[in-house]
Amino acid sequence: MTVKTAPRVAFQGEAGAFSEEAALAFAPEGEAVGYPSFEEAFEATVRGECDYACLPVENSLAGSINQTYDLLTDSVLLVVAERVVRVHHNLLVPPGTRLEDVRRVYSHPQALQQCQRFLRQHGFEAVADYDTAGAAKLLLERAKREPGSAAIASRRAAETYGLEIVAERIEDLKFNFTRFFVLGHRERPPEPGRQHKTSLMLATHHRPGDLVACLQVFSEHGINMTKLESRPRRDKPWSYLFYVDIEGHVADPNVAAALTGLMRRAAFVKYLGSYPAAEPVEID
């Protein structure tokens, strides 16, 4: 009898990070394993130390997270799922600290940017750190040297590191979501009753109208494209790769036919994976 073990899901950051939340949403019975960088989380999965990697690809305010797309360019991993996390930022302090005691606030640059209005309103000094949860993890020790220190991070980070929340949901805009890809070695079959997406990348020939000709293949097969973005190629100056998301699974006849047609028109096509679309997250 084969004994199933709980899956290990790599993510970038410390315990309490939004990436950990996404990883555990994908595998509630699994173990989320934090790594210092995107590359280390990715390579741990390639080597088999972890079964999956859960990495952010897009934020509704800041746009695409290019490190993940760059890693996918030469990857053997496939996208097997996506998760969308609602981002609520909170001001975390050591126990007993009051809001009026705070002088400087540590967090990831994106989190600081997304809470600019709150920081300006209170006259706090914003200090960039490598990670929201990492800033929370270091806060108790940091506050001994720098009284008045606080961190912007998740509620989960506050619970993980024994911190208090003195101001919650301090992000400037409510429409703050992060989309994550879950990467694995083996493609999953389509799930009955679920909507699916397919992600791929392509390069075009350098001639007029070639991108239009490539994308036309989707409308010819009744397929809706949900994302198109360009990134510079790392092996050819002033040339670009295009990242595309479409609705449907590669097992669907129209999607399979469209990909076959695309390969005839494009200079290069790489299939990144088909996966169930994330459940919609409401704005509260």
Side-chain angles (χ1 to χ4, degrees):
M1 177 185 294
T2 301
V3 179
K4 289 187 177 180
T5 58
R8 288 166 53 88
V9 185
F11 70 95
Q12 184 275 325
E14 301 283 353
F18 292 108
S19 294
E20 183 191 43
E21 181 180 338
L24 292 175
F26 167 72
E29 77 291 359
E31 177 188 2
V33 184
Y35 289 86
S37 68
F38 284 54
E39 291 83 358
E40 288 167 278
F42 193 91
E43 288 302 325
T45 308
V46 171
R47 291 193 303 268
E49 293 175 13
C50 291
D51 302 286
Y52 303 97
C54 183
L55 299 176
V57 291
E58 187 174 8
N59 179 266
S60 57
L61 299 178
S64 291
I65 297 165
N66 294 323
Q67 287 173 281
T68 300
Y69 281 111
D70 288 343
L71 288 168
L72 281 168
T73 301
D74 304 313
S75 170
V76 297
L77 300 180
L78 293 169
V79 183
V80 300
E82 70 170 355
R83 287 293 180 272
V84 174
V85 171
R86 174 74 170 89
V87 176
H88 286 306
H89 291 308
N90 306 281
L91 188 67
L92 279 50
V93 297
T97 303
R98 301 171 302 167
L99 179 61
E100 51 266 37
D101 297 329
V102 175
R103 297 290 177 268
R104 68 192 59 81
V105 179
Y106 290 85
S107 196
H108 188 278
Q110 275 198 11
L112 296 172
Q113 179 71 23
Q114 292 166 12
C115 300
Q116 265 195 340
R117 187 183 306 148
F118 176 86
L119 295 171
R120 285 199 305 264
Q121 176 187 346
H122 292 276
F124 295 150
E125 177 190 358
V127 185
D129 213 332
Y130 72 99
D131 181 42
T132 55
K137 181 180 181 180
L138 296 172
L139 183 58
L140 287 177
E141 182 60 34
R142 182 173 275 152
K144 294 177 183 177
R145 305 188 309 270
E146 302 176 20
S149 294
I152 292 175
S154 67
R155 179 172 292 276
R156 183 183 186 88
E159 295 167 353
T160 299
Y161 300 112
L163 302 170
E164 294 180 353
I165 296 175
V166 292
E168 58 184 353
R169 300 191 178 191
I170 62 173
E171 59 271 11
D172 294 345
L173 300 173
K174 291 183 178 180
F175 193 75
N176 195 351
F177 301 85
T178 299
R179 178 186 180 212
F180 293 82
F181 275 165
V182 180
L183 310 173
H185 289 272
R186 289 179 293 278
E187 186 166 61
R188 295 180 161 196
E191 297 182 16
R194 292 286 301 274
Q195 297 291 323
H196 290 79
K197 289 181 180 179
T198 295
S199 293
L200 52 99
M201 68 176 67
L202 63 94
T204 64
H205 299 285
H206 190 59
R207 57 197 181 199
D210 212 55
L211 178 60
V212 173
C214 288
L215 299 181
Q216 188 70 27
V217 74
F218 300 126
S219 63
E220 291 170 0
H221 291 86
I223 296 169
N224 186 39
M225 184 174 62
T226 60
K227 181 174 182 177
L228 172 65
E229 183 156 353
S230 64
R231 285 283 293 144
R233 293 183 66 164
R234 293 176 293 176
D235 60 344
K236 199 172 183 182
W238 316 121
S239 296
Y240 297 86
L241 292 172
F242 296 91
Y243 294 92
V244 179
D245 290 345
I246 59 174
E247 292 179 348
H249 194 283
V250 70
D252 299 337
N254 64 328
V255 175
L259 293 185
T260 299
L262 182 62
M263 285 187 282
R264 293 194 182 106
R265 300 182 189 185
F268 163 80
V269 177
K270 181 175 182 181
Y271 168 73
L272 299 179
S274 291
Y275 48 90
E279 297 292 340
V281 179
E282 295 183 1
I283 300 177
D284 51 2

